[in-house]
Amino acid sequence: MTEDAGVMFRLDNAVLAFRFTATVFDRAGAAIERLTGPERLRLWLRANGLDFSTAQLVDADLAAAKELRENIHRAGAAVAAGAPIAPTVTRSLNAFSRNGSPDLVLDSGVARWRGAGIADALSIIAANAIETLGGPDRDRVKACSDEHCHGLYLDTSRAHSRRWCNMNTCGNRAKKAAMGRRG
């Protein structure tokens, strides 16, 4: 049976690196791991246009991806809290970014990444995290206010007052809970 990436993963975050951190849900309580094996990693990569190789992914690839994911989340949570990123986390993100050699190409008028394997895919994700967490929009990085999420997002609202990573999921859940308390 083929799994549907749109059902399995949250693919609604505009920031690729933050979308990758959402492969774990409920960071505030009991974590729900969505990357349960190398084929789930391939499914996520494919859904995000980063499945560059026909080579089988192995447990070491999955472990590397999870290491990158957790360091992106640590760095993003620090930035969202106005704290410095730990030097070990910075070194890890930089190493993942350097490890691959993907190309950004123009294909029929559309920019897309081209790579040869998992190192290139992880390099793209790390570079996206570095650009987001160290770029001009750094002060717009936030953690979701939902007590069961804490997912990272870039607040692009005009007043910089967005509270949830996604209004249709976390925001809706919070508003329903508030209505129930008033109710």
Side-chain angles (χ1 to χ4, degrees), residues 89-104:
V89 172
T90 299
R91 283 193 296 275
S92 175
L93 293 179
N94 289 339
F96 274 104
S97 181
R98 272 193 313 273
N99 198 27
S101 57
D103 298 312
L104 186 61

Side-chain angles (χ1 to χ4, degrees), residues 14-57:
V15 177
L16 175 68
F18 296 166
R19 198 176 321 138
F20 190 51
T21 65
T23 59
V24 168
F25 182 72
D26 196 354
R27 289 182 179 273
I32 299 169
E33 176 64 69
R34 291 185 173 128
L35 294 179
T36 55
E39 285 310 309
R40 286 269 180 93
L41 173 59
R42 181 175 299 285
L43 182 65
W44 188 91
L45 293 170
R46 187 174 298 130
N48 288 279
L50 300 175
D51 186 18
F52 300 132
S53 175
T54 57
Q56 183 156 348
L57 296 178

